[in-house]
Protein backbone atom coordinates (compact mmCIF):
# COMPACT_ATOMS: atom_id res chain seq x y z
CA UNK A 1 0.00 0.00 0.00
CA UNK A 2 1.37 3.42 -0.90
CA UNK A 3 1.66 6.40 1.42
CA UNK A 4 -1.03 8.20 -0.57
CA UNK A 5 -3.41 5.26 -0.19
CA UNK A 6 -2.81 5.14 3.57
CA UNK A 7 -3.43 8.87 3.89
CA UNK A 8 -6.65 8.62 1.86
CA UNK A 9 -7.95 5.77 4.03
CA UNK A 10 -7.16 7.71 7.19
CA UNK A 11 -8.83 10.85 5.90
CA UNK A 12 -11.94 8.94 4.81
CA UNK A 13 -12.11 7.51 8.34
CA UNK A 14 -12.22 11.08 9.70
CA UNK A 15 -8.60 11.59 10.76
CA UNK A 16 -6.20 14.38 10.00
CA UNK A 17 -3.21 12.41 8.75
CA UNK A 18 0.40 12.96 7.80
CA UNK A 19 3.30 10.74 6.82
CA UNK A 20 6.42 11.90 8.66
CA UNK A 21 10.01 10.71 8.10
CA UNK A 22 11.51 9.51 11.39
CA UNK A 23 14.55 11.74 10.87
CA UNK A 24 12.20 14.75 11.19
CA UNK A 25 10.74 13.66 14.55
CA UNK A 26 12.60 15.33 17.45
CA UNK A 27 13.53 13.23 20.46
CA UNK A 28 13.68 15.02 23.81
CA UNK A 29 13.84 12.91 26.94
CA UNK A 30 13.45 15.85 29.34
CA UNK A 31 9.72 15.19 29.73
CA UNK A 32 10.49 11.85 31.45
CA UNK A 33 10.98 13.75 34.71
CA UNK A 34 7.26 14.52 34.66
CA UNK A 35 6.57 10.80 34.24
CA UNK A 36 8.79 9.91 37.18
CA UNK A 37 7.00 12.56 39.27
CA UNK A 38 3.68 10.91 38.22
CA UNK A 39 2.10 14.26 37.41
CA UNK A 40 -0.65 12.67 35.30
CA UNK A 41 -1.27 9.72 37.64
CA UNK A 42 -0.47 7.09 34.99
CA UNK A 43 3.05 6.11 36.07
CA UNK A 44 3.12 2.32 36.42
CA UNK A 45 -0.62 2.24 35.67
CA UNK A 46 -0.66 2.31 31.86
CA UNK A 47 1.21 -0.01 29.49
CA UNK A 48 2.15 2.88 27.20
CA UNK A 49 3.72 4.90 30.03
CA UNK A 50 6.84 4.36 32.16
CA UNK A 51 8.07 2.06 33.39
CA UNK A 52 6.22 -0.43 31.13
CA UNK A 53 7.08 1.46 27.92
CA UNK A 54 10.81 1.08 28.53
CA UNK A 55 13.56 3.62 28.86
CA UNK A 56 13.88 6.80 26.87
CA UNK A 57 16.73 5.27 24.88
CA UNK A 58 14.63 2.20 24.06
CA UNK A 59 11.87 4.50 22.83
CA UNK A 60 14.31 6.44 20.66
CA UNK A 61 15.58 3.19 19.14
CA UNK A 62 12.01 2.02 18.41
CA UNK A 63 11.16 5.38 16.85
CA UNK A 64 14.16 5.31 14.57
CA UNK A 65 13.71 1.66 13.59
CA UNK A 66 11.39 2.71 10.76
CA UNK A 67 11.78 5.14 7.90
CA UNK A 68 8.50 6.99 8.39
CA UNK A 69 5.34 6.99 10.46
CA UNK A 70 1.70 7.61 9.78
CA UNK A 71 0.53 10.16 12.33
CA UNK A 72 -3.20 10.43 13.02
CA UNK A 73 -5.20 13.07 14.86
CA UNK A 74 -8.87 12.75 15.58
Amino acid sequence: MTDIQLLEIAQKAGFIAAMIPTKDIPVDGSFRKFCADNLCGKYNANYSCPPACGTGEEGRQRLHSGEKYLVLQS
Side-chain angles (χ1 to χ4, degrees), residues 13 15 22 24-25 29-30 32 35 37 40 51 57 67-68 72:
F15 292 98
T22 56
D24 293 342
I25 301 173
S30 63
R32 296 279 291 206
C35 296
D37 292 343
C40 73
E57 178 58 23
E67 292 180 25
K68 54 191 164 190
L72 304 173

Side-chain angles (χ1 to χ4, degrees), residues 19-64:
M19 193 65 72
I20 301 176
T22 56
K23 66 179 180 59
D24 293 342
I25 301 173
V27 177
D28 178 4
S30 63
F31 71 92
R32 296 279 291 206
K33 178 192 178 312
F34 299 110
C35 296
D37 292 343
N38 198 25
L39 295 180
C40 73
K42 296 296 183 186
Y43 187 86
N44 205 24
N46 185 321
Y47 71 91
S48 64
C49 294
C53 69
T55 67
E57 178 58 23
E58 290 168 337
R60 187 195 65 72
Q61 288 175 357
R62 279 192 304 273
L63 172 71
H64 290 115

